[in-house]
mmCIF file with all atom_site columns, all heavy atoms in Angstrom:
data_model
loop_
_atom_site.group_PDB
_atom_site.id
_atom_site.type_symbol
_atom_site.label_atom_id
_atom_site.label_alt_id
_atom_site.label_comp_id
_atom_site.label_asym_id
_atom_site.label_entity_id
_atom_site.label_seq_id
_atom_site.pdbx_PDB_ins_code
_atom_site.Cartn_x
_atom_site.Cartn_y
_atom_site.Cartn_z
_atom_site.occupancy
_atom_site.B_iso_or_equiv
_atom_site.pdbx_formal_charge
_atom_site.auth_seq_id
_atom_site.auth_comp_id
_atom_site.auth_asym_id
_atom_site.auth_atom_id
_atom_site.pdbx_PDB_model_num
ATOM 1   N N   . ILE A 1 76  ? 32.665 48.473 4.641  1.00 0.00 ? 76  ILE A N   1
ATOM 2   C CA  . ILE A 1 76  ? 31.736 49.033 5.643  1.00 0.00 ? 76  ILE A CA  1
ATOM 3   C C   . ILE A 1 76  ? 30.468 48.207 5.708  1.00 0.00 ? 76  ILE A C   1
ATOM 4   O O   . ILE A 1 76  ? 29.858 47.905 4.668  1.00 0.00 ? 76  ILE A O   1
ATOM 5   C CB  . ILE A 1 76  ? 31.424 50.510 5.295  1.00 0.00 ? 76  ILE A CB  1
ATOM 6   C CG1 . ILE A 1 76  ? 32.725 51.331 5.413  1.00 0.00 ? 76  ILE A CG1 1
ATOM 7   C CG2 . ILE A 1 76  ? 30.326 51.069 6.184  1.00 0.00 ? 76  ILE A CG2 1
ATOM 8   C CD1 . ILE A 1 76  ? 32.582 52.755 4.923  1.00 0.00 ? 76  ILE A CD1 1
ATOM 9   N N   . VAL A 1 99  ? 29.499 49.941 11.425 1.00 0.00 ? 99  VAL A N   1
ATOM 10  C CA  . VAL A 1 99  ? 28.779 51.198 11.618 1.00 0.00 ? 99  VAL A CA  1
ATOM 11  C C   . VAL A 1 99  ? 27.483 50.840 12.377 1.00 0.00 ? 99  VAL A C   1
ATOM 12  O O   . VAL A 1 99  ? 26.924 49.787 12.162 1.00 0.00 ? 99  VAL A O   1
ATOM 13  C CB  . VAL A 1 99  ? 28.481 51.852 10.252 1.00 0.00 ? 99  VAL A CB  1
ATOM 14  C CG1 . VAL A 1 99  ? 27.534 53.015 10.374 1.00 0.00 ? 99  VAL A CG1 1
ATOM 15  C CG2 . VAL A 1 99  ? 29.792 52.285 9.587  1.00 0.00 ? 99  VAL A CG2 1
ATOM 16  N N   . ASP A 1 109 ? 22.948 52.631 9.681  1.00 0.00 ? 109 ASP A N   1
ATOM 17  C CA  . ASP A 1 109 ? 22.575 54.042 9.716  1.00 0.00 ? 109 ASP A CA  1
ATOM 18  C C   . ASP A 1 109 ? 23.314 54.756 8.600  1.00 0.00 ? 109 ASP A C   1
ATOM 19  O O   . ASP A 1 109 ? 24.532 55.018 8.699  1.00 0.00 ? 109 ASP A O   1
ATOM 20  C CB  . ASP A 1 109 ? 22.919 54.637 11.094 1.00 0.00 ? 109 ASP A CB  1
ATOM 21  C CG  . ASP A 1 109 ? 22.412 56.039 11.241 1.00 0.00 ? 109 ASP A CG  1
ATOM 22  O OD1 . ASP A 1 109 ? 22.181 56.724 10.200 1.00 0.00 ? 109 ASP A OD1 1
ATOM 23  O OD2 . ASP A 1 109 ? 22.245 56.484 12.380 1.00 0.00 ? 109 ASP A OD2 1
ATOM 24  N N   . GLU A 1 110 ? 22.592 55.083 7.537  1.00 0.00 ? 110 GLU A N   1
ATOM 25  C CA  . GLU A 1 110 ? 23.218 55.662 6.347  1.00 0.00 ? 110 GLU A CA  1
ATOM 26  C C   . GLU A 1 110 ? 23.884 57.001 6.660  1.00 0.00 ? 110 GLU A C   1
ATOM 27  O O   . GLU A 1 110 ? 24.834 57.389 5.976  1.00 0.00 ? 110 GLU A O   1
ATOM 28  C CB  . GLU A 1 110 ? 22.200 55.780 5.207  1.00 0.00 ? 110 GLU A CB  1
ATOM 29  C CG  . GLU A 1 110 ? 21.087 56.799 5.416  1.00 0.00 ? 110 GLU A CG  1
ATOM 30  C CD  . GLU A 1 110 ? 19.950 56.309 6.325  1.00 0.00 ? 110 GLU A CD  1
ATOM 31  O OE1 . GLU A 1 110 ? 20.001 55.147 6.781  1.00 0.00 ? 110 GLU A OE1 1
ATOM 32  O OE2 . GLU A 1 110 ? 19.007 57.094 6.567  1.00 0.00 ? 110 GLU A OE2 1
ATOM 33  N N   . THR A 1 111 ? 23.432 57.675 7.711  1.00 0.00 ? 111 THR A N   1
ATOM 34  C CA  . THR A 1 111 ? 24.029 58.989 8.031  1.00 0.00 ? 111 THR A CA  1
ATOM 35  C C   . THR A 1 111 ? 25.386 58.826 8.711  1.00 0.00 ? 111 THR A C   1
ATOM 36  O O   . THR A 1 111 ? 26.118 59.803 8.886  1.00 0.00 ? 111 THR A O   1
ATOM 37  C CB  . THR A 1 111 ? 23.108 59.826 8.975  1.00 0.00 ? 111 THR A CB  1
ATOM 38  O OG1 . THR A 1 111 ? 23.036 59.151 10.242 1.00 0.00 ? 111 THR A OG1 1
ATOM 39  C CG2 . THR A 1 111 ? 21.715 59.986 8.384  1.00 0.00 ? 111 THR A CG2 1
ATOM 40  N N   . LYS A 1 112 ? 25.734 57.604 9.088  1.00 0.00 ? 112 LYS A N   1
ATOM 41  C CA  . LYS A 1 112 ? 27.024 57.385 9.766  1.00 0.00 ? 112 LYS A CA  1
ATOM 42  C C   . LYS A 1 112 ? 28.053 56.693 8.869  1.00 0.00 ? 112 LYS A C   1
ATOM 43  O O   . LYS A 1 112 ? 29.174 56.442 9.289  1.00 0.00 ? 112 LYS A O   1
ATOM 44  C CB  . LYS A 1 112 ? 26.793 56.532 11.022 1.00 0.00 ? 112 LYS A CB  1
ATOM 45  C CG  . LYS A 1 112 ? 25.958 57.297 12.051 1.00 0.00 ? 112 LYS A CG  1
ATOM 46  C CD  . LYS A 1 112 ? 25.872 56.583 13.358 1.00 0.00 ? 112 LYS A CD  1
ATOM 47  C CE  . LYS A 1 112 ? 25.165 57.472 14.380 1.00 0.00 ? 112 LYS A CE  1
ATOM 48  N NZ  . LYS A 1 112 ? 24.570 56.661 15.475 1.00 0.00 ? 112 LYS A NZ  1
ATOM 49  N N   . ILE A 1 113 ? 27.674 56.404 7.634  1.00 0.00 ? 113 ILE A N   1
ATOM 50  C CA  . ILE A 1 113 ? 28.571 55.680 6.745  1.00 0.00 ? 113 ILE A CA  1
ATOM 51  C C   . ILE A 1 113 ? 29.758 56.555 6.324  1.00 0.00 ? 113 ILE A C   1
ATOM 52  O O   . ILE A 1 113 ? 30.910 56.120 6.336  1.00 0.00 ? 113 ILE A O   1
ATOM 53  C CB  . ILE A 1 113 ? 27.810 55.157 5.509  1.00 0.00 ? 113 ILE A CB  1
ATOM 54  C CG1 . ILE A 1 113 ? 26.857 54.029 5.890  1.00 0.00 ? 113 ILE A CG1 1
ATOM 55  C CG2 . ILE A 1 113 ? 28.776 54.702 4.402  1.00 0.00 ? 113 ILE A CG2 1
ATOM 56  C CD1 . ILE A 1 113 ? 25.943 53.535 4.783  1.00 0.00 ? 113 ILE A CD1 1
ATOM 57  N N   . GLU A 1 114 ? 29.461 57.787 5.976  1.00 0.00 ? 114 GLU A N   1
ATOM 58  C CA  . GLU A 1 114 ? 30.504 58.631 5.399  1.00 0.00 ? 114 GLU A CA  1
ATOM 59  C C   . GLU A 1 114 ? 31.672 58.830 6.357  1.00 0.00 ? 114 GLU A C   1
ATOM 60  O O   . GLU A 1 114 ? 32.839 58.838 5.932  1.00 0.00 ? 114 GLU A O   1
ATOM 61  C CB  . GLU A 1 114 ? 29.909 59.974 4.980  1.00 0.00 ? 114 GLU A CB  1
ATOM 62  C CG  . GLU A 1 114 ? 30.653 60.544 3.812  1.00 0.00 ? 114 GLU A CG  1
ATOM 63  C CD  . GLU A 1 114 ? 29.771 61.271 2.808  1.00 0.00 ? 114 GLU A CD  1
ATOM 64  O OE1 . GLU A 1 114 ? 28.597 61.564 3.124  1.00 0.00 ? 114 GLU A OE1 1
ATOM 65  O OE2 . GLU A 1 114 ? 30.279 61.534 1.703  1.00 0.00 ? 114 GLU A OE2 1
ATOM 66  N N   . ALA A 1 115 ? 31.401 58.925 7.664  1.00 0.00 ? 115 ALA A N   1
ATOM 67  C CA  . ALA A 1 115 ? 32.463 59.104 8.646  1.00 0.00 ? 115 ALA A CA  1
ATOM 68  C C   . ALA A 1 115 ? 33.399 57.892 8.715  1.00 0.00 ? 115 ALA A C   1
ATOM 69  O O   . ALA A 1 115 ? 34.536 57.988 9.174  1.00 0.00 ? 115 ALA A O   1
ATOM 70  C CB  . ALA A 1 115 ? 31.835 59.367 10.024 1.00 0.00 ? 115 ALA A CB  1
ATOM 71  N N   . ALA A 1 116 ? 32.919 56.753 8.212  1.00 0.00 ? 116 ALA A N   1
ATOM 72  C CA  . ALA A 1 116 ? 33.714 55.518 8.292  1.00 0.00 ? 116 ALA A CA  1
ATOM 73  C C   . ALA A 1 116 ? 34.585 55.316 7.051  1.00 0.00 ? 116 ALA A C   1
ATOM 74  O O   . ALA A 1 116 ? 35.401 54.396 6.986  1.00 0.00 ? 116 ALA A O   1
ATOM 75  C CB  . ALA A 1 116 ? 32.786 54.319 8.477  1.00 0.00 ? 116 ALA A CB  1
ATOM 76  N N   . ILE A 1 117 ? 34.406 56.165 6.043  1.00 0.00 ? 117 ILE A N   1
ATOM 77  C CA  . ILE A 1 117 ? 35.150 55.980 4.779  1.00 0.00 ? 117 ILE A CA  1
ATOM 78  C C   . ILE A 1 117 ? 36.580 56.515 4.930  1.00 0.00 ? 117 ILE A C   1
ATOM 79  O O   . ILE A 1 117 ? 36.808 57.585 5.477  1.00 0.00 ? 117 ILE A O   1
ATOM 80  C CB  . ILE A 1 117 ? 34.410 56.709 3.625  1.00 0.00 ? 117 ILE A CB  1
ATOM 81  C CG1 . ILE A 1 117 ? 33.058 56.030 3.381  1.00 0.00 ? 117 ILE A CG1 1
ATOM 82  C CG2 . ILE A 1 117 ? 35.253 56.700 2.353  1.00 0.00 ? 117 ILE A CG2 1
ATOM 83  C CD1 . ILE A 1 117 ? 32.174 56.738 2.344  1.00 0.00 ? 117 ILE A CD1 1
ATOM 84  N N   . THR A 1 118 ? 37.528 55.705 4.473  1.00 0.00 ? 118 THR A N   1
ATOM 85  C CA  . THR A 1 118 ? 38.958 56.084 4.470  1.00 0.00 ? 118 THR A CA  1
ATOM 86  C C   . THR A 1 118 ? 39.476 55.832 3.035  1.00 0.00 ? 118 THR A C   1
ATOM 87  O O   . THR A 1 118 ? 38.762 55.246 2.214  1.00 0.00 ? 118 THR A O   1
ATOM 88  C CB  . THR A 1 118 ? 39.791 55.241 5.452  1.00 0.00 ? 118 THR A CB  1
ATOM 89  O OG1 . THR A 1 118 ? 39.966 53.934 4.889  1.00 0.00 ? 118 THR A OG1 1
ATOM 90  C CG2 . THR A 1 118 ? 39.149 55.134 6.828  1.00 0.00 ? 118 THR A CG2 1
ATOM 91  N N   . THR A 1 121 ? 38.826 52.246 1.897  1.00 0.00 ? 121 THR A N   1
ATOM 92  C CA  . THR A 1 121 ? 37.473 51.697 1.763  1.00 0.00 ? 121 THR A CA  1
ATOM 93  C C   . THR A 1 121 ? 37.190 51.287 0.322  1.00 0.00 ? 121 THR A C   1
ATOM 94  O O   . THR A 1 121 ? 37.494 52.046 -0.613 1.00 0.00 ? 121 THR A O   1
ATOM 95  C CB  . THR A 1 121 ? 36.411 52.749 2.202  1.00 0.00 ? 121 THR A CB  1
ATOM 96  O OG1 . THR A 1 121 ? 36.774 53.231 3.488  1.00 0.00 ? 121 THR A OG1 1
ATOM 97  C CG2 . THR A 1 121 ? 35.026 52.141 2.238  1.00 0.00 ? 121 THR A CG2 1
ATOM 98  N N   . ILE A 1 124 ? 30.575 48.980 0.410  1.00 0.00 ? 124 ILE A N   1
ATOM 99  C CA  . ILE A 1 124 ? 29.578 49.085 1.489  1.00 0.00 ? 124 ILE A CA  1
ATOM 100 C C   . ILE A 1 124 ? 28.677 47.863 1.342  1.00 0.00 ? 124 ILE A C   1
ATOM 101 O O   . ILE A 1 124 ? 28.236 47.534 0.226  1.00 0.00 ? 124 ILE A O   1
ATOM 102 C CB  . ILE A 1 124 ? 28.747 50.379 1.352  1.00 0.00 ? 124 ILE A CB  1
ATOM 103 C CG1 . ILE A 1 124 ? 29.641 51.621 1.322  1.00 0.00 ? 124 ILE A CG1 1
ATOM 104 C CG2 . ILE A 1 124 ? 27.726 50.483 2.508  1.00 0.00 ? 124 ILE A CG2 1
ATOM 105 C CD1 . ILE A 1 124 ? 28.878 52.918 0.946  1.00 0.00 ? 124 ILE A CD1 1
ATOM 106 N N   . ALA A 1 138 ? 20.293 56.886 -0.392 1.00 0.00 ? 138 ALA A N   1
ATOM 107 C CA  . ALA A 1 138 ? 21.403 57.576 0.306  1.00 0.00 ? 138 ALA A CA  1
ATOM 108 C C   . ALA A 1 138 ? 22.687 56.749 0.180  1.00 0.00 ? 138 ALA A C   1
ATOM 109 O O   . ALA A 1 138 ? 23.763 57.295 -0.089 1.00 0.00 ? 138 ALA A O   1
ATOM 110 C CB  . ALA A 1 138 ? 21.039 57.796 1.759  1.00 0.00 ? 138 ALA A CB  1
ATOM 111 N N   . GLU A 1 141 ? 24.143 56.885 -3.315 1.00 0.00 ? 141 GLU A N   1
ATOM 112 C CA  . GLU A 1 141 ? 24.689 58.212 -3.581 1.00 0.00 ? 141 GLU A CA  1
ATOM 113 C C   . GLU A 1 141 ? 26.063 58.366 -2.933 1.00 0.00 ? 141 GLU A C   1
ATOM 114 O O   . GLU A 1 141 ? 27.007 58.854 -3.558 1.00 0.00 ? 141 GLU A O   1
ATOM 115 C CB  . GLU A 1 141 ? 23.684 59.264 -3.082 1.00 0.00 ? 141 GLU A CB  1
ATOM 116 C CG  . GLU A 1 141 ? 23.996 60.695 -3.463 1.00 0.00 ? 141 GLU A CG  1
ATOM 117 C CD  . GLU A 1 141 ? 24.921 61.362 -2.456 1.00 0.00 ? 141 GLU A CD  1
ATOM 118 O OE1 . GLU A 1 141 ? 24.784 61.121 -1.262 1.00 0.00 ? 141 GLU A OE1 1
ATOM 119 O OE2 . GLU A 1 141 ? 25.807 62.128 -2.930 1.00 0.00 ? 141 GLU A OE2 1
ATOM 120 N N   . ILE A 1 142 ? 26.197 57.902 -1.703 1.00 0.00 ? 142 ILE A N   1
ATOM 121 C CA  . ILE A 1 142 ? 27.506 57.981 -0.990 1.00 0.00 ? 142 ILE A CA  1
ATOM 122 C C   . ILE A 1 142 ? 28.526 57.130 -1.763 1.00 0.00 ? 142 ILE A C   1
ATOM 123 O O   . ILE A 1 142 ? 29.659 57.571 -1.990 1.00 0.00 ? 142 ILE A O   1
ATOM 124 C CB  . ILE A 1 142 ? 27.373 57.459 0.462  1.00 0.00 ? 142 ILE A CB  1
ATOM 125 C CG1 . ILE A 1 142 ? 26.528 58.413 1.289  1.00 0.00 ? 142 ILE A CG1 1
ATOM 126 C CG2 . ILE A 1 142 ? 28.761 57.274 1.099  1.00 0.00 ? 142 ILE A CG2 1
ATOM 127 C CD1 . ILE A 1 142 ? 26.055 57.829 2.631  1.00 0.00 ? 142 ILE A CD1 1
ATOM 128 N N   . ALA A 1 143 ? 28.106 55.924 -2.150 1.00 0.00 ? 143 ALA A N   1
ATOM 129 C CA  . ALA A 1 143 ? 29.028 55.018 -2.849 1.00 0.00 ? 143 ALA A CA  1
ATOM 130 C C   . ALA A 1 143 ? 29.505 55.656 -4.156 1.00 0.00 ? 143 ALA A C   1
ATOM 131 O O   . ALA A 1 143 ? 30.697 55.594 -4.492 1.00 0.00 ? 143 ALA A O   1
ATOM 132 C CB  . ALA A 1 143 ? 28.325 53.684 -3.130 1.00 0.00 ? 143 ALA A CB  1
ATOM 133 N N   . ARG A 1 145 ? 29.669 58.816 -4.968 1.00 0.00 ? 145 ARG A N   1
ATOM 134 C CA  . ARG A 1 145 ? 30.523 59.974 -4.702 1.00 0.00 ? 145 ARG A CA  1
ATOM 135 C C   . ARG A 1 145 ? 31.941 59.539 -4.313 1.00 0.00 ? 145 ARG A C   1
ATOM 136 O O   . ARG A 1 145 ? 32.910 60.243 -4.604 1.00 0.00 ? 145 ARG A O   1
ATOM 137 C CB  . ARG A 1 145 ? 29.891 60.824 -3.578 1.00 0.00 ? 145 ARG A CB  1
ATOM 138 C CG  . ARG A 1 145 ? 30.316 62.235 -3.560 1.00 0.00 ? 145 ARG A CG  1
ATOM 139 C CD  . ARG A 1 145 ? 29.187 63.229 -3.173 1.00 0.00 ? 145 ARG A CD  1
ATOM 140 N NE  . ARG A 1 145 ? 28.216 62.701 -2.203 1.00 0.00 ? 145 ARG A NE  1
ATOM 141 C CZ  . ARG A 1 145 ? 28.468 62.574 -0.891 1.00 0.00 ? 145 ARG A CZ  1
ATOM 142 N NH1 . ARG A 1 145 ? 29.615 62.894 -0.394 1.00 0.00 ? 145 ARG A NH1 1
ATOM 143 N NH2 . ARG A 1 145 ? 27.525 62.116 -0.109 1.00 0.00 ? 145 ARG A NH2 1
ATOM 144 N N   . HIS A 1 146 ? 32.080 58.370 -3.646 1.00 0.00 ? 146 HIS A N   1
ATOM 145 C CA  . HIS A 1 146 ? 33.406 57.927 -3.191 1.00 0.00 ? 146 HIS A CA  1
ATOM 146 C C   . HIS A 1 146 ? 33.961 56.801 -4.045 1.00 0.00 ? 146 HIS A C   1
ATOM 147 O O   . HIS A 1 146 ? 34.991 56.229 -3.694 1.00 0.00 ? 146 HIS A O   1
ATOM 148 C CB  . HIS A 1 146 ? 33.319 57.493 -1.738 1.00 0.00 ? 146 HIS A CB  1
ATOM 149 C CG  . HIS A 1 146 ? 33.017 58.615 -0.793 1.00 0.00 ? 146 HIS A CG  1
ATOM 150 N ND1 . HIS A 1 146 ? 34.013 59.369 -0.183 1.00 0.00 ? 146 HIS A ND1 1
ATOM 151 C CD2 . HIS A 1 146 ? 31.853 59.144 -0.351 1.00 0.00 ? 146 HIS A CD2 1
ATOM 152 C CE1 . HIS A 1 146 ? 33.439 60.311 0.585  1.00 0.00 ? 146 HIS A CE1 1
ATOM 153 N NE2 . HIS A 1 146 ? 32.145 60.189 0.498  1.00 0.00 ? 146 HIS A NE2 1
ATOM 154 N N   . LEU A 1 148 ? 32.778 53.698 -4.547 1.00 0.00 ? 148 LEU A N   1
ATOM 155 C CA  . LEU A 1 148 ? 32.707 52.411 -3.822 1.00 0.00 ? 148 LEU A CA  1
ATOM 156 C C   . LEU A 1 148 ? 31.684 51.491 -4.449 1.00 0.00 ? 148 LEU A C   1
ATOM 157 O O   . LEU A 1 148 ? 30.741 51.951 -5.090 1.00 0.00 ? 148 LEU A O   1
ATOM 158 C CB  . LEU A 1 148 ? 32.339 52.652 -2.363 1.00 0.00 ? 148 LEU A CB  1
ATOM 159 C CG  . LEU A 1 148 ? 33.158 53.682 -1.581 1.00 0.00 ? 148 LEU A CG  1
ATOM 160 C CD1 . LEU A 1 148 ? 32.591 53.874 -0.190 1.00 0.00 ? 148 LEU A CD1 1
ATOM 161 C CD2 . LEU A 1 148 ? 34.625 53.261 -1.510 1.00 0.00 ? 148 LEU A CD2 1
ATOM 162 N N   . GLU A 1 337 ? 33.203 52.012 13.971 1.00 0.00 ? 337 GLU A N   1
ATOM 163 C CA  . GLU A 1 337 ? 33.320 53.449 13.706 1.00 0.00 ? 337 GLU A CA  1
ATOM 164 C C   . GLU A 1 337 ? 32.257 54.166 14.545 1.00 0.00 ? 337 GLU A C   1
ATOM 165 O O   . GLU A 1 337 ? 31.069 54.060 14.263 1.00 0.00 ? 337 GLU A O   1
ATOM 166 C CB  . GLU A 1 337 ? 33.121 53.719 12.214 1.00 0.00 ? 337 GLU A CB  1
ATOM 167 C CG  . GLU A 1 337 ? 33.193 55.165 11.820 1.00 0.00 ? 337 GLU A CG  1
ATOM 168 C CD  . GLU A 1 337 ? 34.575 55.786 12.028 1.00 0.00 ? 337 GLU A CD  1
ATOM 169 O OE1 . GLU A 1 337 ? 35.590 55.099 11.815 1.00 0.00 ? 337 GLU A OE1 1
ATOM 170 O OE2 . GLU A 1 337 ? 34.622 56.978 12.414 1.00 0.00 ? 337 GLU A OE2 1
#
Side-chain angles (χ1 to χ4, degrees):
I76 295 173
V99 170
D109 186 338
E110 68 280 359
T111 66
K112 294 187 174 157
I113 290 174
E114 210 143 14
I117 295 174
T118 75
T121 309
I124 304 170
E141 188 274 322
I142 293 166
R145 203 143 33 76
H146 293 270
L148 308 176
E337 179 66 36

